[in-house]
Every structure is written in C-alpha cells, then in structure tokens.
Amino acid sequence: MNTLIAISGLGVFCLIAEIFNLRKLLVPVAILGLLVILGFTMAEFNTPELYNNPMYNNMIVVSKFSVAFSSLFIILTIFLVALSGDFYKDHPTKISDYIAIKIFLLAGAVAMVSFGNLSMFFLGIEVLSISLYVLAASKRLDVKSNEAGMKYFLIGSFASGIILFGICLIYGAMISFDTATIKEMSRSAELPVWYTIGIILLLIGMLFKIAAAPFHFWAPDVYEGSPSITTATMSTLAKVVAMATLFKLLDVLNADIDYKFQIVLAIVSVLSMTVGNIMALRQNNVKRMLAFSGISHAGFMLMALLSMSTAASTLLYYTAAYALAGIASFAVIIYVTKDKENEDIINFNGLGKTNPLLAAVLTASLLSMAGIPIFSGFFAKFILFTQTIKAGYIVVVIAAVINSIISVGYYFKLILAMYTKEVSEDRKAVPFVYYAVAVIAILLNIVLGIYPSLVTNLLN
C-alpha cells in the first residue's frame, strides 16, 4: 500500500510542477522519485510480516509476487519516463500531463497485481485502461492517433464490461469480493454454474487486454496509430501487467483445477503464436510488425499458465526478458521514426552504417525476442518449454518451437535492412537519453540471460 500511495503522490506532484513552471526538473525528479519508490518496494520483498496483512480490509495484499512484479513495472516506467522527456520536447506545456498519466498508469498496474479484493482489481484495471485511452489519442491533430484512441476506447470498454459482468457472477456465487474467501470457498465440491461462467467472462476480458487471438484484432491498428512512446507502453508495460494479473486471477479463483479449462488455454496459446507470427511476416510497418509479435508473445506467456505451480517464476522471467527487449527496441524505433510520416522498414535502411551502436542494440533486442542465446529471451523460452513438457503439453511445445523459427523470418527482415541496404537520407544527431535507455535495457536483458537465477529464484 505504501508503494501505491507514493506513486500516486508522485503523479500529483508532476501535475503541480506545471503550475510552478518546473518543467525542466520534471523528468529528473520523476525518475529520481521512481528510483526511491523502487527501493522502498524491493525492501518489502523480505518483510514477511507484511504478507497477507489484513490491513485496509484486505483490499491490498503484499506478497513476493506483488513486490516482484511491482518492481518490474517501476523499472519499465523509469525507462518510459526517461524517453518521454525528448519525445514531448515539442509540446513543453503538455509534458507534465503526459508524465503524470504514465505514473498514474503505474499506480493502476501496481493495484492490479496487489489486489486482495476484486473491486480493487477492477479499480486498477480502469485506472490503467483510461490512462492508455488518453495516451493513444494524445496526438490530437493526427487522424491515425484519434482513430487509435477511439478503437482502443471502444474495445477496452467492451472488455471491461465483460470483466465486470464476470465479477458480478462470481460475487453472486460466493457472496464476497475478497479473494481469500473466494479461494477457500472455490474448493467446495458443489459450485453454482454461474461461478464457472464468471471465470470464463473474466478470462475473455483479460484475453482482450493482452491481445491474445482471437481477441487480438484491435492491436495492430491501435499500435500503429498511437504515438510511438504510447505504443512502447502498450507493448511492454501494459501487456506484462495484464499477463501477471491474469495469472493471479486464475490462481485465486482456482480455475486451473479444471482440465477443460487448461485445454482452452492451450488452444488460445497456440492460436495466438501462429496468428501473430504468420501475420507479422506480411508487415512492412515496424509498429504493426511488433504488434503481431506481441500477440505471438502473449501466446508464449499463456503457456506458463498450463503449469500453475511454477507459473509465477516462469512468467516473471519471461515478462522481464520480453519487456526489456521491447524497451530497447522501441528506444531505437522512436529515434529513427521521429518526424517521419510512417514507421516503415525502409526508414531503417543503412542504420548499421550510420549508427552502429543503435543498430546493434535493435539487433540484440530482436534476437532476444526470437529466442537466440545469449539473450534472456532464449532462456525464458527454454524454461517455459521445459515446464510445459513436464505438464504434459508436448504438442503445445512443438507448436511453440515451430513459431519461434517462423519469428526469425520477420525479425531478420528488419536486421537485414539495417546492415545490407543503402542509407536513404542523413541521420540526425542522437540525444543521449536514447543511447542510455537502449543500452541499459539490453544490458539488463543480457545479464538476465547469463544469470537467470537472479529472477527465477525470487518466487520459488
């Protein structure tokens, strides 16, 4: 709860900073504040007296799971806020609003993995969703941004309605929103049929949020039309939050005990991987390509839920590897495509000659997403496949391996453009922040690849 209060306070400060004309201090102070909050949050990891504390009527529950994922969310937000300083420099009067929205979005994310009550879960998902609706449509004079904001708002509201209906049915079955009570009562042999229907509706709503097939159709258009920094937020932070929350929901509702439910997850997982990768092969726009790539990664993440006993640590490692690679790649993409009419691959022609460092970072992040050693993306998939085989879903693993091979095709399309094509125009100077974010993110990715135990042992 202290983390949530501190994040909300920092968001309010960012809004007040505009009144006192402190724009130049806004980004450094926001990053410093987030680093302090990260320190406080990580300090709670080895504080067992906080775990399952009935304070605040059990609305917020501190656990190793919530602390680990909250720390990851804060790290990702630090990167996104750092990039925001240069990205919004042409709109100085609005920078405090954009940064405050990102920090409030983080507050919603922390609530989503720390909830002890379904009403707090819904509050968190709405705070996060409304923040993303605003950011998606924040380029007011751009028709594509307006279209992206409207599409995301309509689909997101539809998904939130389904989730709320599911929560109502679960409440009707259990007469409680408290997750501890629901988990205890769900062990009963006789449960009303609407409890199962409520779980199904919750699952459908969350699959919309993580853009898993067949609920993925909104993602490519929204990713392409949104400002690049917002696309980076959706692709990394928002997807990781939704995936972690889905695991926690299924865990507290004891949904994994039904074999039919696991089969549905397996089918959605394979479908997401296949649709995402095949459609990504056809894309020339980098943001659309990464949107379909994100759909395929959602399928990989869903594989972790087939083995719920080990899913928490596997999911933490996979999401950390994926998100860090995503942040590194978007730092380069934002630099290259800024002030361009589109984000087509042609804009990256010759980047390996004009800026070898950024080209190397983008190459490394794409190789990590494809699952190539020494990057953490490889070890994340290796651990994931091992756990899934132990759970008895060999067919899903075979499909995942085939899809990993397919993904190399479209990642290398971008890599080849950087190193084999001629430069189309002169490159502008690169602000230091892009180098810093890109290099630090990919180095963290490599460190996790070399020392996976740094993350995998946290939740064991």
Side-chain angles (χ1 to χ4, degrees), residues 393-414:
Y393 293 94
I394 298 176
V395 174
V396 178
V397 174
I398 293 170
V401 171
I402 294 170
N403 274 287
S404 294
I405 296 168
I406 294 172
S407 70
V408 173
Y410 58 85
Y411 289 134
F412 265 87
K413 187 161 64 171
L414 182 54

Side-chain angles (χ1 to χ4, degrees), residues 90-143:
D90 296 333
H91 304 281
T93 58
K94 297 177 182 176
I95 188 168
S96 62
D97 301 332
Y98 293 140
I99 291 177
I101 289 171
K102 284 184 174 63
I103 292 172
F104 288 131
L105 184 153
L106 173 62
V110 170
M112 285 174 69
V113 292
S114 307
F115 70 90
N117 188 294
L118 291 179
S119 58
M120 178 57 78
F121 152 68
F122 190 74
L123 183 63
I125 202 169
E126 285 305 290
V127 170
L128 181 137
S129 298
I130 291 169
S131 301
L132 286 174
Y133 302 153
V134 175
L135 291 172
S138 59
K139 226 173 178 178
R140 290 188 303 108
L141 302 179
D142 187 343
V143 175

Side-chain angles (χ1 to χ4, degrees), residues 428-446:
K428 52 188 179 292
V430 185
F432 173 74
V433 67
Y434 291 105
Y435 283 126
V437 170
V439 171
I440 292 172
I442 202 62
L443 284 178
L444 286 173
N445 181 285
I446 293 170

Side-chain angles (χ1 to χ4, degrees), residues 163-401:
I163 289 171
L164 187 57
F165 193 17
I167 291 173
C168 291
L169 290 176
I170 290 170
Y171 176 79
M174 300 299 187
I175 320 299
S176 177
F177 288 123
D178 185 74
T179 56
T181 304
I182 292 172
K183 188 166 188 174
E184 185 64 33
M185 292 178 66
S186 65
R187 295 191 175 97
S188 168
E190 295 183 9
L191 289 171
V193 67
W194 50 86
Y195 179 74
T196 305
I197 297 172
I199 292 177
I200 292 170
L201 290 174
L202 269 182
L203 176 64
I204 291 171
M206 292 307 297
L207 290 177
F208 268 110
K209 297 292 184 182
I210 65 173
F215 310 104
H216 67 285
F217 45 83
W218 58 270
D221 291 342
V222 172
Y223 277 39
E224 181 184 4
S226 300
S228 296
I229 191 77
T230 304
T231 307
T233 307
M234 292 178 188
S235 179
T236 55
L237 180 58
K239 189 176 286 288
V240 169
V241 172
M243 200 64 234
T245 306
L246 177 59
F247 163 77
K248 183 165 182 178
L249 282 170
L250 297 182
D251 182 49
V252 299
L253 299 173
N254 277 331
D256 60 306
I257 58 176
D258 191 342
Y259 180 70
K260 294 177 184 177
F261 190 80
Q262 291 183 339
I263 293 298
V264 170
L265 277 180
I267 292 170
V268 173
S269 172
V270 173
L271 189 63
S272 298
M273 287 185 277
T274 307
V275 170
N277 281 320
I278 290 175
M279 293 302 294
L281 287 170
R282 305 177 57 188
Q283 305 304 316
N284 289 316
N285 183 289
V286 173
K287 280 160 74 172
R288 287 186 74 87
M289 185 183 83
L290 289 179
F292 283 111
S293 170
I295 293 164
S296 74
H297 280 285
F300 283 105
M301 293 176 199
L302 286 170
M303 285 175 64
L305 304 182
L306 297 174
S307 179
M308 289 291 283
S309 59
T310 57
S313 59
T314 305
L315 202 55
L316 177 63
Y317 187 61
Y318 194 101
T319 52
Y322 167 75
L324 288 171
I327 289 287
S329 62
F330 269 102
V332 181
I333 291 165
I334 290 170
Y335 156 70
V336 172
T337 61
K338 195 177 182 187
D339 302 324
K340 296 285 199 309
E341 293 181 359
N342 55 51
E343 297 83 20
D344 288 350
I345 291 176
I346 193 172
N347 292 316
F348 294 82
N349 287 356
L351 184 64
K353 299 170 186 174
T354 57
N355 199 315
L357 179 56
L358 288 183
V361 169
L362 182 55
T363 301
S365 63
L366 294 174
L367 291 177
S368 178
M369 290 184 197
I372 306 294
I374 58 172
F375 305 103
S376 55
F378 167 78
F379 295 99
K381 287 185 177 179
F382 178 78
I383 294 168
L384 185 63
F385 295 172
T386 303
Q387 299 296 345
T388 309
I389 289 172
K390 287 180 180 177
Y393 293 94
I394 298 176
V395 174
V396 178
V397 174
I398 293 170
V401 171

